[in-house]
Amino acid sequence: PNSCFSVSASTQIEVTDPPEDLCPVINAFSSSSPLIYRGESVTLTWSITNGTNYRLDGVPVPALGSQSFVLNADRTFTLTANN
């Protein structure tokens, strides 16, 4: 009779820089309303692909998300993505 004492398998993963066509892409960035009354809430929604570091006004955020803000003055939000 045959007997098996050990079995093994391995795989190798090569890591390289992403090709240029895999640069970060902001697919969507929108607000629930372009005009609100002072003290009201607005919700920002976004979708990003191919990046590794995402920030909304310098604060880390996920690639797909939304966040609400209560505003008392005009404000411009900036979404950034990089590798």
Side-chain angles (χ1 to χ4, degrees):
N2 283 342
S3 59
C4 296
F5 292 103
S6 71
V7 177
S8 66
S10 63
T11 186
Q12 180 177 341
I13 308 299
E14 181 179 346
V15 177
T16 185
D17 291 327
E20 287 298 317
D21 62 345
L22 290 182
C23 290
V25 176
I26 296 175
N27 302 300
F29 184 42
S30 62
S31 65
S32 56
S33 176
L35 176 67
I36 61 171
Y37 292 112
R38 190 177 319 279
E40 286 188 333
S41 176
V42 65
T43 300
L44 303 179
T45 304
W46 61 88
S47 169
I48 308 169
T49 52
N50 299 337
T52 58
N53 183 6
Y54 319 108
R55 294 182 179 274
L56 178 61
D57 283 351
V59 178
V61 293
L64 179 63
S66 65
Q67 190 167 348
S68 295
F69 298 87
V70 174
L71 301 180
N72 290 310
D74 292 353
R75 181 169 172 186
T76 300
F77 293 89
T78 303
L79 181 66
T80 58
N82 55 54
N83 284 331

